[in-house]
Amino acid sequence: MTLSRAQVEQTAASIEAVQEPSGAIPWSVGEHTDVWNHLESAMGLMVGGRREAAERAFAWARATQRPDGSWPMKIVAGEVEDHSGESNMSAYVAVATWHHWLVARDEDFVRLMWPTVRRALDWVVSLQLPFGGVAWSQEWRDGAPASVNEDALLAGSSSIHHSLRAGVALAELVGEPQIEWELAGGRLGHALREHRGLFLDKSTFSMDWYYPVLGGAVRGDAARALIEERWDTFVVPGLGIRCVSTNPWVTGAETCELVLALEAIGDRDRAAQLLADMQHLRTDAGSYWTGYVFPTDVDEVGVNWPGEQTTYTAAAVILAVDALTDGTAGADIMRGTTLAPDFAEIALECGCASEDVAGLARRTA
C-alpha cells in the first residue's frame, strides 16, 4: 500500500497548517523549530505541491542563519530557547536546496540559497575531527560562538555526508567548486565505513543503525549486511520500527527514513511493506502521530505517544511515498544518483592510507 496523490497533498496541507507567519515550521503547534526538521518539512511541502509555503520556509532559514553559518538549535515562537548550533541540522540546508532544484529546476532560487548553503557547510566542515567524524555541536555564549562539543554522532555525521554530496552538486551547478568540502566528504565517508567505533555510542537508537546507509556513505553489499545486522532488533512487523531498542515504541519518522534507506539500496519490497505498516499513525486529517507505544502484555492497551502529530513525521512519509512511486524528480534525493559522485578518500588524517591528492586535482580540473 502507498498513498494516493490526494493523500500526499492532504498530508502536505497538514504541514502548512502548522507553519507560523514567519515561515517557521515547528514540530507541532506551540513546539520548537529546529532547522533540520523545518527544512525536511519544506521538502515535504515541495513534493505536496505547496511551493509557496516551502519557499516561505526557505526564506525563514535565510533570515535566521547566523553569520558563522549556523542556526540556533531551538527557536520557540521566534525566540531562541537554545543558542547552541548543531552541525548536522545546519548542514541539511544543502539537501533541501538540492531537493528544491530537482523538483522545480529553478536556478535563480538555487543562486538565492547558495550563500546560505556555502556559509552553513563551511561552518560544518570547520568542525571536522581528525578521525573524520564531525563534532556534533558548538555552544554559544554572550551572542558569540564558544566551545565545541568534540564528540561526533554517527547519525548526525551520516546526514552531514549526505549534505556534503548535495553541497558539492550545488557548487558545480553554480560554478563555484568547493574542494575543501570534497576533502571533508572523503574523510567523513571513510570514518562512517571504517571507524564507526569512534563515534559516540548511541547504538540503542535505530537512527545509528540505518543512517550510514541513508546518508549514502555505506552502500552495496556492506549496506545490505548492515541493515540485516539489527533488523530483528528494531523492526516490529505490522507497526514500523522502534526508535530505541529498549522501548516498545515505534515511530513514524524513523520508519520512513528506513523506508528511504531500503529504497536507496534497491530493497523496495521491504520498504513498501514498512510504509504500509506505519499507516496506523495517520489521522483523518492526513497528519501523523509521532509514535505508538505497543502493548507487551495481554492486559495492556497500545497508545499513540506523545499526544501530538508532528510535521517532520508527515514530511518523512511524503518523501518515502515519493521515493517509492517516483512521483517527482525529488524522489532521487536519498537514492543520490543526482548528487556529487562518491568522495575519494584523500588526505586522511586518521592514520589510514589514502589516495593521492593529485586524484582530486584531476577530478576538479
Side-chain angles (χ1 to χ4, degrees):
M1 170 205 163
T2 188
L3 302 187
S4 68
R5 178 62 192 176
Q7 288 174 312
V8 168
E9 291 175 356
Q10 183 191 33
T11 298
S14 78
I15 297 172
E16 185 177 4
V18 179
Q19 189 171 32
E20 297 172 354
S22 66
I25 305 176
W27 285 19
S28 60
V29 175
E31 289 290 323
H32 78 272
T33 300
D34 72 71
V35 72
W36 196 104
N37 287 295
H38 166 87
L39 290 167
E40 181 92 336
S41 292
M43 293 161 68
L45 289 170
M46 286 296 293
V47 173
R50 293 180 173 265
R51 179 173 174 176
E52 183 180 346
E55 292 184 355
R56 289 201 306 273
F58 278 100
W60 178 91
R62 292 195 304 275
T64 54
Q65 187 184 37
R66 297 183 291 208
D68 71 342
S70 69
W71 282 266
M73 199 176 295
K74 287 186 178 182
I75 299 176
V76 181
E79 297 297 321
V80 176
E81 189 174 274
D82 186 339
H83 289 266
S84 57
E86 188 167 346
S87 54
N88 82 293
M89 287 184 181
S90 296
Y92 207 58
V93 68
V95 172
T97 302
W98 185 254
H99 181 263
H100 187 287
W101 163 251
L102 292 178
V103 176
R105 294 288 166 172
D106 184 344
E107 191 169 335
D108 288 341
F109 182 83
V110 171
R111 292 187 180 279
L112 177 66
M113 290 300 301
W114 173 243
T116 304
V117 171
R118 190 177 61 232
R119 282 193 298 270
L121 289 185
D122 281 347
W123 176 70
V124 169
V125 166
S126 77
L127 298 179
Q128 189 164 40
L129 304 171
F131 84 93
V134 179
W136 79 275
S137 70
Q138 183 173 27
E139 301 298 326
W140 267 63
R141 294 188 185 89
D142 301 321
S147 59
V148 173
N149 294 309
E150 292 191 352
D151 288 303
L153 294 168
L154 183 57
S157 286
S158 297
S159 180
I160 291 168
H161 180 271
H162 186 208
S163 295
L164 285 170
R165 287 187 66 200
V168 169
L170 289 165
E172 289 190 11
L173 182 62
V174 301
E176 296 186 24
Q178 302 292 316
I179 293 176
E180 284 300 317
W181 298 358
E182 296 192 50
L183 288 169
R187 296 183 193 115
L188 179 54
H190 174 79
L192 293 167
R193 289 184 290 272
E194 305 297 336
H195 300 306
R196 288 196 288 272
L198 297 179
F199 292 88
L200 283 175
D201 182 8
K202 301 287 183 180
S203 56
T204 58
F205 289 84
S206 59
M207 291 177 70
D208 263 33
W209 163 50
Y210 62 77
Y211 245 93
V213 179
L214 184 65
V218 180
R219 288 289 164 89
D221 290 343
R224 287 182 280 275
L226 187 60
I227 292 297
E228 292 309 317
E229 197 174 285
R230 306 198 72 194
W231 183 270
D232 292 336
T233 299
F234 288 109
V235 175
V236 183
L239 293 179
I241 74 168
R242 297 174 189 251
C243 178
V244 184
S245 62
T246 53
N247 297 340
W249 180 44
V250 294
T251 46
E254 280 80 0
T255 301
C256 287
E257 287 182 335
L258 179 57
V259 169
L260 288 161
L262 291 170
E263 196 282 332
I265 60 174
D267 194 346
R268 293 175 65 87
D269 288 344
R270 289 200 296 185
Q273 184 60 59
L274 280 170
L275 180 61
D277 286 351
M278 63 77 62
Q279 293 304 317
H280 63 95
L281 296 172
R282 186 178 180 88
T283 72
D284 291 342
S287 56
Y288 282 81
W289 296 102
T290 300
Y292 173 74
V293 178
F294 56 89
T296 57
D297 188 271
V298 292
D299 297 325
E300 294 179 350
V301 177
V303 61
N304 289 316
W305 185 87
E308 60 190 17
Q309 295 108 46
T310 37
T311 52
Y312 63 81
T313 303
V317 172
I318 291 173
L319 295 178
V321 171
D322 199 42
L324 284 170
T325 61
D326 282 310
T328 74
D332 185 70
I333 192 63
M334 302 299 176
R335 204 180 299 149
T337 60
T338 65
L339 297 177
D342 291 337
F343 297 119
E345 296 181 0
I346 293 172
L348 301 181
E349 298 176 0
C350 57
C352 298
S354 62
E355 296 181 30
D356 195 317
V357 176
L360 180 63
R362 285 194 297 273
R363 285 200 310 116
T364 56

